[in-house]
Amino acid sequence: MKAAEFRAAVTRETPTGTCVSLVGVVLTEAIDLTGLTICSVDLSGAVFHAPVSCARAQFSGLSWFKGATFHARATFDGATFANDARFDGTAFGDDASFAKAAFYGVAGFDRAAFKALADFSSVTAFGNASFAEARFEAAAVFRKAECLGGLWLDRTRFDGRIEFDSADVHGRTWLKQVHVGRSTGPVSAELVARAVTSFGYQWV
């Protein structure tokens, strides 16, 4: 699919309760959706070979990127997700930036793989932010993140530098079997627990 066709498909109005299905779409051109309003869209299994910019985009409905692959930089800085954002099993081969993004539904990144920088600094997650079994091979930045619906890091692996400075979690903070570097178990979980300010229960 061409970039212009893709842009037209994801910015058209859709009736309530429906979505645009672009499952498995392959895009070789750079995608620029900066500041646009995106309809409910299912991009499960999509493959993006060139950079994608959704900076300050307004995702008005479901935003499914399950099992998608981003081979180049993916930018979602300042984006707003009005409903569930599903990045379960998504592979990010280059920098992935969600700085200052707002998630009003579930922020789902279970089993996601981040090969390069993963920037979640200053995000606001009103629903549960879940990174169960996600793997961060480079820096993972959650500085000043605010998770109002809890933070789920079940068997999450951090191989690179981690930053949770001034990160606040309201609700449950789940840190079972977290891996930091070559360590795992209680030691790794305690490293993350000390960096996060939790206003609810912590499970370490």
Side-chain angles (χ1 to χ4, degrees), residues 167-204:
D168 295 339
V169 180
H170 304 260
R172 62 185 178 183
T173 305
W174 185 273
L175 303 170
K176 291 288 188 178
Q177 298 186 58
V178 172
H179 299 247
V180 176
R182 297 189 178 186
S183 301
T184 186
V187 174
S188 293
E190 287 170 8
L191 288 172
V192 178
R194 286 198 299 268
V196 173
T197 300
S198 295
F199 294 94
Y201 290 107
Q202 282 190 352
W203 282 267
V204 177

Side-chain angles (χ1 to χ4, degrees), residues 45 54 59 108 112 114 124-125 134 164 188 204:
C54 296
F59 289 85
F114 299 88
T124 303
F164 280 91
S188 293
V204 177

Side-chain angles (χ1 to χ4, degrees), residues 37-97:
T37 298
I38 313 301
C39 61
S40 287
V41 61
D42 186 354
L43 288 161
S44 299
V47 179
F48 300 90
H49 287 281
V52 175
S53 177
C54 296
R56 303 185 307 282
Q58 307 287 321
F59 289 85
S60 60
L62 295 175
S63 307
W64 285 12
F65 292 84
K66 296 179 179 181
T69 301
F70 292 87
H71 288 289
R73 181 178 175 83
T75 304
F76 292 85
D77 295 345
T80 299
F81 296 88
N83 209 311
D84 291 349
R86 305 305 308 229
F87 290 85
D88 310 76
T90 301
F92 296 93
D94 203 334
D95 292 352
S97 186

